[in-house]
Amino acid sequence: MSEAEVVRNVITRLVANADETQTRIAHELFRQAGYLWRCGNPACPAYNYKGLRYCEGCGWGSKGKPVGDLHPSMYTERRWTRLRRALLKHYAPAAPMPDAVVFDYWGGPGWRGAEVTEMYGGRTEEITDGFRDRDRFEDIATALDSLTKWSKPSYGEHIRVVLAP
Ligand SMILES: [Zn+2]
């Protein structure tokens, strides 16, 4: 078991039978020790495990709302624009549009195999199987494959595409 897993287990067991005040104190102690971080969203009380990039409760980071695109490689503007355009087209008929879509790469067929999470203001939603299926998500899959062709993602790499203006 990794240290992170041990810490998760300890915290889970500590707060399992604790009341609200005790839970807050336990979380705060673990935060001070560097095992948890406090969500930067003033409306969100969540503490998150070290290593998580975004709050599990609301999708914000420790320093506040995630803003701006993030991409790990020297992807050209053209490839990047193609991905954003495909995502906007995909979400256009459905309301509401997520504020951002994030991709986490843990293996699989390039960026198309990445884990995908939609971030709505105040909540996050994981998309089961992401955009792997080329038939269902033709434009997005093509855009992701184009990024992969340019530069293969490595384990743990992360993309964030902000859709909301
Ligand atoms: Zn939060």
Side-chain angles (χ1 to χ4, degrees):
M1 217 187 278
S2 71
E3 194 200 16
E5 285 167 325
V6 173
V7 169
R8 268 173 195 257
N9 287 349
V10 169
I11 296 174
T12 306
R13 283 175 70 170
L14 266 181
V15 301
N17 298 302
D19 65 26
E20 214 174 295
T21 309
Q22 291 168 328
T23 300
R24 208 174 52 234
I25 291 168
H27 280 157
E28 194 49 38
L29 286 172
F30 275 94
R31 186 193 65 75
Q32 284 171 23
Y35 292 112
L36 294 173
W37 55 270
R38 182 85 202 256
C39 179
N41 180 352
C44 175
Y47 286 82
N48 295 278
Y49 294 106
K50 185 179 83 175
L52 272 183
R53 201 183 299 263
Y54 303 112
C55 173
E56 284 188 306
C58 74
W60 285 36
S62 61
K63 296 197 167 60
K65 198 172 187 167
V67 286
D69 291 349
L70 272 184
H71 48 108
S73 194
M74 311 295 258
Y75 294 131
T76 60
E77 199 54 37
R78 189 170 53 83
R79 287 170 207 269
W80 198 243
T81 305
R82 188 195 281 180
L83 176 59
R84 186 195 312 280
R85 209 179 294 141
L87 288 167
L88 286 169
K89 189 176 146 200
H90 170 70
Y91 286 109
M97 167 113 49
D99 297 336
V101 179
V102 301
F103 299 81
D104 287 295
Y105 184 76
W106 308 116
W111 278 115
R112 195 153 47 81
E115 194 179 285
V116 181
T117 309
E118 297 169 346
M119 305 173 82
Y120 297 91
R123 87 192 150 85
T124 62
E125 219 165 279
E126 197 179 311
I127 306 307
T128 312
D129 291 334
F131 295 118
R132 278 162 197 260
D133 189 339
R134 214 194 292 260
D135 295 331
R136 279 177 64 207
F137 309 110
E138 196 190 340
D139 292 353
I140 297 172
T142 304
L144 290 171
D145 285 347
S146 153
L147 294 182
T148 303
K149 211 172 136 199
W150 181 262
S151 169
K152 256 178 93 64
S154 44
Y155 184 84
E157 270 193 319
H158 182 74
I159 282 181
R160 179 168 78 214
V161 184
V162 173
L163 300 177

